Amino acid sequence: MSDSAPPTERNRLDEAESPYLRQHADNPVNWQPWDEQALAAAKERDVPIFLSIGYAACHWCHVMEEESFEDEAVAEMLNEHFVPVKVDREERPDLDSVYMSICQQVTGGGGWPLSAWLTPDGKPFYVGTYFPPEEKHGRPGFSQLLDRLANSWSDPEQRSEMENRAQQWTDAIESDLEDVGEPGDPDENIIGTAATIAHRGADRDHGGWGSGGPKFPQTGRIHALLRAHADGEAPSGGGLSGPQGGEGQPGDDYLTVVEQTLNAMADRGLYDHVGGGFHRYSTDMQWAVPHFEKMLYDNAEIPRAFLAGYQAIGNERYASVVRETFEFVQRELQHEEGGFFSTLDAVSRPPGSEPEADTEEGAFYVWTPEQVHDAVADEQAADIFCEYFGVSEKGNFEGATVLGVRKPVDVLAEEYELSEAELTEKLQGALNEAFEAREERPRPARDEKILAGWNGLMISTLAEGAVVLDDAYADVAADALGFVREHLWDESEKRLSRRYKDGDVAIDGYLEDYAFLGRGAFDLYQATGEVEYLAFALELADAIVEAFWDSEEGTLYFTPTGGESLVARPQELTDQSTPSSTGVAASLLLELDHFREGDRLGEVAERVLRSHADRTSANPLQHASLTLATDTYEQGSLELTLVCDPADPPSEWTETLAERYVPRRLLAWRPDDDGAFQSWLETIDLDEAPPIWAGRDAADGEPTVYACRDFACSPPQHDLGAALDWGEN
């Protein structure tokens, strides 16, 4: 096809910046991006749209491409009878939300690639995920399905039925995504309810939740359990001791479930023991074999749960996992100017293969005994490595082994007649050599688009890491925030764009971009006491209310007012791969309301939580972020006004903040110098001090803490630990 042909008669994905779309730029399919040209072509030709949604690190997306989209006969059928459209779900989560909704309603499941056939005006009439080239395992063959749908569309009677179905499905999407319930009061002690359900449903043999597989990280449940435990809540009715259930044991409390889950995620195949960082999810109930892609959002949200677990439980292994994950993120996912890339692929060429060799899932990460012994010079250390991580000739993944802790250090030390310290030293040396050897392997592809919201998640966790582990992480977070502000934030318009890729900025930000980045900015203020981050968080909060708040419906929509009109305007109420943007936004508005007397931030948050109270109360775990926000609304934050020089706080304060798990903690730094304080007020555009700062001066000329909750405050304290004791009683 020549370049002079009409745009929709050629593959246009070479014009896209998305790495996922560019992966399909050489397909014989005349792929279109989702834009006006493509939609207009479908109407002009009066043919359906074939919508294929995926992302760069999606394994089954690659499989379907190789099997079908690179096939000339399939391409001819798609080009002749449909307008084929490719969408990167990471760039367009709004489209993904709309059509995934009907996929889940109709098929009972979802996933990627998401395959949907739409009328020319965007209404779906057939939907699924991966389709094999020939009928297999109950799935129709892709070519046969295309032929059947094209013939049905050409038949007036069948087409009428398809259009009727499309309208019914569109109504179902609207009901699922746009529905707002009658305002009401959330159930009392919703965090206790959530923790009880999470405790009862936990897999007590393998950690986490779910049986059979796959098994996903459920970090919202971990935070709910930790909050309930800190509140003194206890399980009722016994917990599951295995997949079939049973009575809980003495001491079998919420913290036990957290510990079992964190241990499983840290010790088994979900975690990359050689290079740090977490894979996407486990394909089995034992957490042994993961889907190998690495996503920025997982390597933000999972370490955040480990930080909370470290404070609550004190297991140093959790702190090590966080440090190693931060090292991985900085080493492999960070732009030289500070922002963070999106993903690493699951597939790569096998070690030692030729450049033209086919890629294989997990090839970069798995090991054989021979590969270990080639990498590790000390034979005994190589043997220890293999026994510790279970590397065997048989393997557990296509003839190789996904590393996972199989034998405790003390058992191995006894077997090898070494002290535990000696064995640990040998094991660490072997790990270092394995890392160096692995660096020579062909690497998984990296999706180098930088997304505002996902960067916000990483900034939040780095900021929390600065509080709990090492204040140097705040510098890494600040660099990322600076990158996003420079490239994606329009200061004059107060608007946020979603995506940066090689200098190209595109796509208006969604609620998750504003909410996640706002939380990141606010968490960075809490970690550093630098008012500029608080000011930016307030700007983003104002933009959330301006662009996403619907006062008539009492909700926050995922897409901005005046944005592209789809068949439905989605809300994001449930936690999926990332936290619910509505829940995170509500939490952020509640926290920032402390810095704005009489402002509408708190009112908006309250109305959102009341609007969705029925569904949150009915299923608190599915709505984990809304549940956590509701809990904060019910219980109130523990406000800690910290009056000092924020650049040089007392060491006792920083040590106490690092060591103690404090649910609903809100750190409100303010300078003890009157001149500096006045400058702060000007920075956040206030004439008078907000309630959280007003009248809270340094007592006796010394750094002073005020602890407040639910309109009651402690006396001024110089000892932060004493202030926390007051707040927890």
Side-chain angles (χ1 to χ4, degrees):
M1 187 68 64
S2 71
D3 289 342
S4 61
T8 55
E9 293 185 16
R10 60 180 174 84
N11 188 324
R12 294 169 54 214
L13 299 189
D14 59 349
E15 305 165 5
E17 289 295 337
S18 160
Y20 174 63
L21 298 190
R22 283 185 173 272
Q23 287 172 359
H24 294 266
D26 293 327
N27 295 165
V29 177
N30 289 341
W31 289 117
Q32 308 294 302
W34 179 279
D35 65 6
E36 287 298 328
Q37 287 188 31
L39 303 182
K43 293 177 181 178
E44 182 179 343
R45 292 173 53 195
D46 194 29
V47 296
I49 297 165
F50 169 60
L51 176 64
S52 177
I53 302 179
Y55 57 99
C58 166
H59 173 67
W60 288 102
C61 300
H62 297 317
V63 172
M64 194 166 176
E65 177 188 17
E66 293 172 3
E67 292 176 342
S68 296
F69 301 148
E70 293 179 353
D71 185 287
E72 294 284 352
V74 172
E76 183 177 353
M77 192 175 301
L78 275 170
N79 297 340
E80 181 176 351
H81 299 291
F82 305 90
V83 172
V85 174
K86 261 290 175 192
V87 166
D88 183 341
R89 68 171 290 261
E90 295 170 355
E91 289 195 344
R92 293 299 304 267
D94 55 335
L95 286 167
D96 184 58
S97 173
V98 166
Y99 296 109
M100 186 62 74
S101 166
I102 197 61
C103 182
Q104 291 171 333
Q105 292 184 66
V106 170
T107 70
W112 299 277
L114 175 62
S115 303
W117 284 261
L118 321 175
T119 64
D121 55 358
K123 297 177 181 178
F125 59 82
Y126 196 91
V127 68
T129 54
Y130 161 77
F131 291 98
E134 305 294 336
E135 183 177 355
K136 187 191 302 182
H137 304 308
R139 296 174 184 262
F142 189 62
S143 295
Q144 292 85 348
L145 179 59
L146 290 177
D147 187 58
R148 177 159 59 87
L149 292 175
N151 289 335
S152 296
W153 186 262
S154 300
D155 181 282
E157 185 174 343
Q158 293 186 61
R159 174 168 173 172
S160 178
E161 293 177 3
M162 296 164 84
E163 289 174 335
N164 287 337
R165 184 193 314 150
Q167 186 57 55
Q168 292 171 0
W169 284 11
T170 298
D171 292 343
I173 294 170
E174 290 177 347
S175 177
D176 181 38
L177 297 182
E178 294 188 357
D179 181 59
V180 179
E182 289 296 321
D185 293 323
D187 286 353
E188 292 186 12
N189 190 24
I190 194 168
I191 205 69
T193 301
T196 297
I197 298 170
H199 182 268
R200 289 177 178 171
D203 179 351
R204 306 310 294 275
D205 288 332
H206 305 293
W209 292 269
S211 59
K215 228 173 208 176
F216 289 85
Q218 303 277 2
T219 57
R221 301 182 183 198
I222 293 170
H223 291 298
L225 288 162
L226 288 172
R227 283 196 189 186
H229 179 269
D231 290 345
E233 298 275 347
S236 58
L240 291 186
S241 58
Q244 272 65 55
E247 290 299 316
Q249 302 300 313
D252 177 23
D253 60 7
Y254 295 145
L255 213 57
T256 304
V257 172
V258 171
E259 192 165 15
Q260 289 174 331
T261 300
L262 293 179
N263 288 349
M265 291 198 294
D267 288 345
R268 301 177 195 167
L270 190 73
Y271 186 65
D272 179 359
H273 296 271
V274 172
F278 289 90
H279 300 293
R280 177 68 194 95
Y281 62 88
S282 173
T283 62
D284 59 278
M285 65 187 298
Q286 292 88 5
W287 301 94
V289 177
H291 253 318
F292 290 92
E293 59 263 45
K294 285 183 172 181
M295 321 297 289
L296 179 63
Y297 55 73
D298 285 322
N299 287 286
E301 289 300 290
I302 298 174
R304 191 178 181 94
F306 272 84
L307 285 168
Y310 172 60
Q311 287 186 302
I313 298 168
N315 187 337
E316 288 295 332
R317 169 71 176 139
Y318 301 164
S320 296
V321 163
V322 175
R323 291 188 184 97
E324 291 163 7
T325 299
F326 286 171
E327 288 176 13
F328 152 71
V329 169
Q330 292 176 76
R331 183 180 67 245
E332 299 191 36
L333 288 178
Q334 191 166 27
H335 187 282
E336 60 183 7
E337 295 177 21
F340 295 108
F341 302 126
S342 294
T343 66
L344 291 180
D345 212 330
V347 301
S348 58
R349 289 188 292 107
S353 63
E354 296 298 321
E356 63 273 9
D358 291 338
T359 59
E360 297 177 6
E361 186 175 8
F364 186 73
Y365 300 102
V366 297
W367 294 85
T368 64
E370 181 182 3
Q371 289 171 334
V372 173
H373 281 272
D374 286 345
V376 180
D378 183 328
E379 285 294 309
Q380 186 183 59
D383 289 338
I384 290 170
F385 183 102
C386 288
E387 285 201 57
Y388 183 76
F389 288 118
V391 182
S392 66
E393 294 292 344
K394 181 180 179 181
N396 64 355
F397 181 76
E398 299 182 1
T401 300
V402 180
L403 303 186
V405 178
R406 300 296 196 279
K407 275 191 178 182
V409 167
D410 59 343
V411 172
L412 279 173
E414 185 174 345
E415 289 180 3
Y416 282 90
E417 298 181 350
L418 297 169
S419 69
E420 290 186 25
E422 289 171 331
L423 187 129
T424 299
E425 183 178 356
K426 281 184 173 287
L427 182 60
Q428 186 58 57
L431 273 167
N432 293 341
E433 289 181 87
F435 175 82
E436 293 300 328
R438 198 178 78 172
E439 287 293 282
E440 301 302 316
R441 295 180 176 183
R443 302 189 68 82
R446 181 169 67 186
D447 184 332
E448 294 190 350
K449 64 177 179 287
I450 294 172
L451 300 175
W454 294 12
N455 272 255
L457 296 178
M458 196 69 234
I459 291 163
S460 280
T461 299
L462 286 164
E464 187 66 12
V467 173
V468 178
L469 300 178
D470 186 339
D471 60 9
Y473 293 128
D475 295 332
V476 184
D479 288 343
L481 185 62
F483 182 97
V484 174
R485 289 185 72 172
E486 178 181 351
H487 295 288
L488 294 173
W489 175 246
D490 186 325
E491 180 65 35
S492 61
E493 297 292 331
K494 306 298 182 188
R495 284 178 48 192
L496 184 65
S497 294
R498 176 166 176 80
R499 189 263 290 154
Y500 172 94
K501 172 68 168 62
D502 293 335
D504 184 75
V505 173
I507 309 169
D508 289 340
Y510 300 106
L511 178 60
E512 75 168 37
D513 295 300
Y514 287 82
F516 295 173
L517 192 64
R519 186 179 76 173
F522 183 61
D523 287 345
L524 193 51
Y525 158 72
Q526 293 188 88
T528 64
E530 294 190 29
V531 71
E532 65 173 291
Y533 303 132
L534 173 61
F536 186 46
L538 287 165
E539 284 188 299
L540 289 166
D542 289 335
I544 287 171
V545 175
E546 182 68 27
F548 302 96
W549 167 241
D550 186 317
S551 59
E552 291 186 8
E553 296 293 339
T555 194
L556 291 164
Y557 285 103
F558 187 74
T559 55
T561 302
E564 180 182 353
S565 179
L566 305 176
V567 296
R569 188 182 182 194
Q571 304 171 88
E572 189 181 61
L573 306 177
T574 59
D575 287 41
Q576 302 289 338
S577 301
T578 54
S580 152
S581 55
T582 307
V584 173
S587 289
L588 177 67
L589 297 180
L590 284 174
E591 291 173 326
L592 292 177
D593 186 61
H594 293 280
F595 298 88
R596 290 274 191 82
E597 186 171 20
D599 198 72
R600 57 179 177 167
L601 300 183
E603 176 190 340
V604 168
E606 178 182 355
R607 286 196 60 196
V608 168
L609 296 175
R610 287 178 53 79
S611 292
H612 302 298
D614 284 350
R615 68 175 73 201
T616 305
S617 298
N619 196 333
L621 296 186
Q622 187 179 24
H623 302 86
S625 292
L626 274 169
T627 295
L628 294 170
T630 301
D631 171 61
T632 300
Y633 168 67
E634 286 181 333
Q635 304 287 341
S637 297
L638 176 57
E639 308 163 30
L640 297 171
T641 303
L642 305 168
V643 189
C644 64
D645 175 0
D648 186 27
S651 59
E652 177 268 324
W653 289 10
T654 57
E655 291 168 4
T656 300
L657 289 173
E659 293 168 356
R660 290 182 63 162
Y661 173 75
V662 182
R664 312 171 199 91
R665 179 200 69 199
L666 193 160
L667 303 181
W669 300 90
R670 59 151 288 184
D672 52 11
D673 177 78
D674 289 342
F677 184 51
Q678 186 59 43
S679 176
W680 272 39
L681 296 179
E682 293 171 2
T683 299
I684 60 174
D685 199 26
L686 290 179
D687 295 326
E688 296 181 357
I692 200 165
W693 288 337
R696 301 180 186 179
D697 300 314
D700 307 318
E702 297 292 330
T704 305
V705 181
Y706 296 80
C708 301
R709 188 196 296 277
D710 197 23
F711 304 105
C713 294
S714 72
Q717 303 271 5
H718 301 302
D719 184 333
L720 179 57
L724 289 175
D725 291 341
W726 176 92
E728 293 175 352
N729 293 325

